[in-house]
Each structure stands twice: as C-alpha cells, then as structure tokens.
Amino acid sequence: MTAIPETFRAYVVDRQDDVFSRGLRTLAPGDLPDGEVEVRVGWSSVNYKDGLAATADGKVARVYPLVPGIDLAGTVVRSAHPSFVPGAAVIAHGYDLGVSRHGGYAEYARVPADWVVPLPLGLTAREAMALGTAGFTAAMAVVALEERGLEPGTGPVLVTGATGGVGSTAIAILSELGYEVWAVTGKSDEHAWLETLGAVGFLTREEVAAEGRSLETERWAGAVDSVGAATLPYILRTLRRGGGVAACGNASGPALVTTVFPFILRGAALLGIDSAYLGIAKRRRIWDRLATDLRPRALAERVTEVTLETLEPALDAIRAAEARGRWVVRVGG
Ligand SMILES: NC(=O)c1ccc[n+]([C@@H]2O[C@H](COP(=O)([O-])OP(=O)(O)OC[C@H]3O[C@@H](n4cnc5c(N)ncnc54)[C@H](OP(=O)(O)O)[C@@H]3O)[C@@H](O)[C@H]2O)c1
C-alpha cells in the first residue's frame, strides 16, 4: 500500500482576520494531525453538524483551517497499530473529526487507532456513509430505548424530524423491527416517502410544538427526538407510564422547558444520546448491528451522491432544514 501522496485535495473552511472562507484546497501530509492510522478516504457524508461547520456563524468549527466531515470511510494505507493493516476497510466518525481536527472531506485522513471501526461485513463503504453519523445516532437511540424496556407491541413510537437523516433512519429501523411508528414532519408532501419507510401515522410540527398541560393523555411508548425545543416537552407529557424518549438533537432549538411530573408521576425517562464520544467498543457493536438486525433496508433510494466539488449546496441545504434523506460524498470512490 502506498502512503499519503505529497499533495491531495480537500474541502477546507477557514477564518483569517475574521474573514470566513471555504472551498477546495491542496493539502500535504504534514497538514494532517497525528494519529496511528492513515486512511485513503473513499466516502464521507453530509450531516447537520457539517452544515454548521461550513458556515461562518455555525459555532461548530473549533480550529481553522479545518477540513469538515464528521464521517469517513476508506482504506488503511499505513498503520502504526497492529489492529489495522494496510488494505483494511474502515470507518471513523465523531470524536473530534471535522470539528477540532481534520475530518472526512479530504482524500486522506490520519486518525487515532481507538477511533477506528472495521467496516462491518455486509456493508460497503458507500452504504456505511449513507448511514453515517445520522444513521448511527438513530441506531443508538433505538438501542437506548430497547435497553429501557421498549419492545414491539408495547405501543406506538414517535419519531420527530422525520425527513432528516436521524429521523428517517430511525423510522426505517423501528418499523423493520416491528414497531408501530408515527412521524412528526413539517413536509406534508413527504408522507408517501415516509410511509415507504414504515411510518403509519403523522403529526405536524405545529401539533407537537403547541402549549399543553404538564401531563396529557398517555400516547407514546417511546420516542426518538432530533428536534428539541417545544417538541421534547410535548413528548415528555404524552409518554406512557415507564416510556422513554431518546433526545438526539436540537434542530429547532436547545431550550428545554418542562415539569418534573412526567418523571415523578409516570416514571418517564429522558435518554441522552451522544454519538460523538460513545466509547469505541460500544460503537463497533452498534455498527455490527447496523449491518445486520438494525439495517434499515428501505432507506437506500433516498441517498444523493455529491463530490468534494459539488457538496457545498448540500451543506447549505441541510443547514436550511431542507434535508430529505441523506447525502453521501464520493471523495476517492
Ligand atoms: N446526539 C448526537 O450524537 C447527534 C448525532 C447526529 C445529529 N444530531 C443532531 O440531530 C439533529 C438532526 O440531525 P440530522 O442529521 O437528522 O439533521 P437533518 O437531516 O437536517 O434533519 C433535521 C430534521 O428536523 C426537522 N426540522 C428542521 N428544522 C426544524 C425546526 N425549526 N422545527 C422543527 N423541526 C425541524 C426537519 O424534519 P421535517 O421537515 O420532517 O420536520 C429536518 O429534516 C440535529 O440537531 C443534529 O445536530 C445529534
């Protein structure tokens, strides 16, 4: 296997003298941070966090210049760690990637060995990135709900931000496991697609963002929420006794105003989901499940392919809440 070439292409965001810029640049191996494993990046993906990293006011990038891309999949070209040999197919996502060290929007990456996941049998690198951090987060949320006691037949499960990466994958995973899945979406023209993923009922964003009493009729056995703000209090006050909500995101805002009643009168659980810093052993186990029993087969058609040259509109679209499924980035292919 060859090592990293003297120059390679990367999509870079930068801020110099308070002027924000972004675009393709040529990098050299010395521009990459330290790490035991060098990877020729085949594929990456576009996540909400990448959209934030690629905008001047996104408050995600911690260093400049930065190669965004919190996801990457590729082939090891050099390794100082015995677990990874040149030629091995690997994934890395989360941790500091694309935030405070260079991520997946470059033809080569250098990462710590304990951030690396072997590409599970049964998934191609492109399929893994079609899932990416969004799909991984959805799977983590489902696992957290199941560990809390949710199982098919315990009642309907609500998924918010339904047409987004986390939401659409959660719908597909849950319905393929046999759950009755309801979706909250602001895009009524996407009901037909969400039905193909397995959603059986719909609520509007407005219905779940309305003011309500501290406890309302018990409705949901569980929920996956990537929206936050007014939506999460609605879920808490309508969860069935003993139910849980996996809180994954804040697409509509970070504030949380609720009462203690769902917790002390119905035993509701607020399950925090942090995909970025989940330990590597659990991370590898979830990827193995994403390749097997949690694999969302219905999702494949809603994947749009972009390249380093054409990914900017996708970054802007996800920031503008226009996501409909997932984007994969063909970096080296
Ligand atoms: N905890 C973690 O480890 C983790 C990992 C990945 C992502 N996240 C977070 O999870 C959230 C979703 O990520 P994603 O990749 O799925 O993003 P995404 O693809 O952009 O999807 C977000 C979805 O939320 C809905 N939405 C957007 N703006 C909204 C608003 N103002 N009010 C109500 N709903 C709104 C939209 O769905 P509809 O149009 O269908 O309503 C949108 O498609 C983000 O906050 C992201 O930062 C967290």
Side-chain angles (χ1 to χ4, degrees), residues 137 161-166 185-187 205 226 248-252 273 275 318 323:
T137 302
T163 62
V166 176
T185 182
K187 304 184 187 97
R205 288 187 196 175
S226 54
C248 305
N250 61 338
S252 83
I273 302 299
S275 66
I318 201 164

Side-chain angles (χ1 to χ4, degrees), residues 26-41:
T26 299
L27 299 187
D31 294 318
L32 294 176
D34 290 342
E36 297 88 13
V37 183
E38 294 181 347
V39 179
R40 180 176 183 273
V41 180

Side-chain angles (χ1 to χ4, degrees), residues 137 140-142 144-145 160 166 223-229 232 235-236 244-250 256 269-275:
T137 302
M140 241 184 107
V142 172
L145 289 169
T160 66
V166 176
V224 176
D225 177 45
S226 54
V227 167
L232 187 49
I235 295 169
L236 287 167
V245 51
C248 305
N250 61 338
L256 176 60
L270 181 53
L271 308 168
I273 302 299
D274 172 19
S275 66

Side-chain angles (χ1 to χ4, degrees), residues 46-49 52 70 133-138 140 160-168 184-187 190 194 205 225-229 231 247-253 272-277 317-327:
V46 177
N47 292 279
Y48 191 76
K49 207 169 183 179
L52 291 175
I70 61 173
T133 288
F136 181 84
T137 302
M140 241 184 107
T160 66
T163 62
V166 176
S168 59
V184 181
T185 182
K187 304 184 187 97
E190 292 289 3
L194 295 172
R205 288 187 196 175
D225 177 45
S226 54
V227 167
T231 301
C248 305
N250 61 338
S252 83
I273 302 299
D274 172 19
S275 66
Y277 290 96
I318 201 164
R319 178 79 207 270
E322 290 162 8
R324 291 167 194 246
R326 294 271 298 153
W327 286 273

